[in-house]
């Protein structure tokens, strides 16, 4: 329908210089708007894997994207950008819930922590990702932190120490 699709003209090039002049129309879904991810933060067991990859899996953590303009598509994907500085990301299949909700499932083996500024993008066709993003972060469990002393008997209060010292 004209409410959910945008007609664009398709031209082809083999050399990035000369294009066909056929003006073949194609209908593409209009780009949805991503507003938020729930949960927006998860805790994971850490991993050192850094390459961009595509993965599938059952189980794991379900992340629900809310927004508007979602259409049902078997090709839909979520792109979790782990490090905005390097572009390191993971693409996962997305499941349609409603015109305002889609879900992506992180595989049970997922163990990546994210860098500040990490986010999720969405693509109805699995190729062209939204310009809007939802903030998302994955953090490892806290380690090397101790509250000393554990019981305070005076007014000085506890203090935090890092083991090993940072």
């Amino acid at each position: 329908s004209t409410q959910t699709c945008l007609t664009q003209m398709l031209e082809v090039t083999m050399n990035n210089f000369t294009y066909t002049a056929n003006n073949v129309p194609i209908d593409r879904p209009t780009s949805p708007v991503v507003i938020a991810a729930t949960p927006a933060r998860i805790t994971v067991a850490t991993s050192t894997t850094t390459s961009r990859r595509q993965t599938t899996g059952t189980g794991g953590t379900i992340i629900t994207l809310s927004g508007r303009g979602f259409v049902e598509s078997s090709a839909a994907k979520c792109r979790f950008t782990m490090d905005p500085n390097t572009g390191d990301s993971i693409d996962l299949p997305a499941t349609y819930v409603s015109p305002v909700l889609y879900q992506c499932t992180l595989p049970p083996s997922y163990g990546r922590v994210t860098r500040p500024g990490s986010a999720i993008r969405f693509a109805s066709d699995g190729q062209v990702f939204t310009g809007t993003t939802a903030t998302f972060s994955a953090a490892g469990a806290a380690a090397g932190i101790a509250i000393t002393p554990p019981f305070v008997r005076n007014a000085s209060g506890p203090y935090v120490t890092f083991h090993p010292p940072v």
Side-chain angles (χ1 to χ4, degrees):
S1 81
T2 57
Q3 292 179 335
T4 59
C5 291
L6 173 69
T7 300
Q8 296 177 319
M9 302 315 247
L10 173 67
E11 301 302 337
V12 179
T13 182
M14 298 297 281
N15 59 11
N16 287 333
F17 181 71
T18 307
Y19 291 84
T20 60
N22 299 321
N23 289 321
V24 176
I26 59 168
D27 289 334
R28 297 184 53 84
T30 55
S31 186
V33 175
V34 175
I35 297 171
T38 306
R41 179 190 162 107
I42 62 170
T43 301
V44 296
T46 59
S47 166
T48 57
T49 305
T50 59
S51 62
R52 179 166 177 237
R53 61 213 182 276
Q54 291 192 2
T55 185
T56 59
T58 57
T61 304
I62 295 173
I63 307 296
T64 301
L65 291 180
S66 59
R68 61 180 181 268
F70 291 130
V71 294
E72 191 166 0
S73 169
S74 61
K77 289 186 181 175
C78 294
R79 175 169 289 167
F80 291 80
T81 301
M82 308 307 165
D83 187 341
N85 296 325
T86 65
D88 182 32
S89 61
I90 181 173
D91 292 348
L92 296 169
T95 304
Y96 178 80
V97 178
S98 74
V100 295
L101 297 174
Y102 248 96
Q103 291 181 329
C104 296
T105 303
L106 288 169
S109 61
Y110 181 82
R112 299 286 312 285
V113 295
T114 58
R115 306 274 299 173
S118 298
I120 304 173
R121 292 184 186 278
F122 174 81
S124 297
D125 62 2
Q127 301 293 318
V128 180
F129 287 85
T130 56
T132 56
T133 63
T135 302
F136 176 78
S137 65
I145 298 176
I147 305 294
T148 308
F151 299 102
V152 178
R153 296 180 189 212
N154 59 34
S156 66
Y159 57 92
V160 176
T161 57
F162 295 89
H163 301 283
V166 290

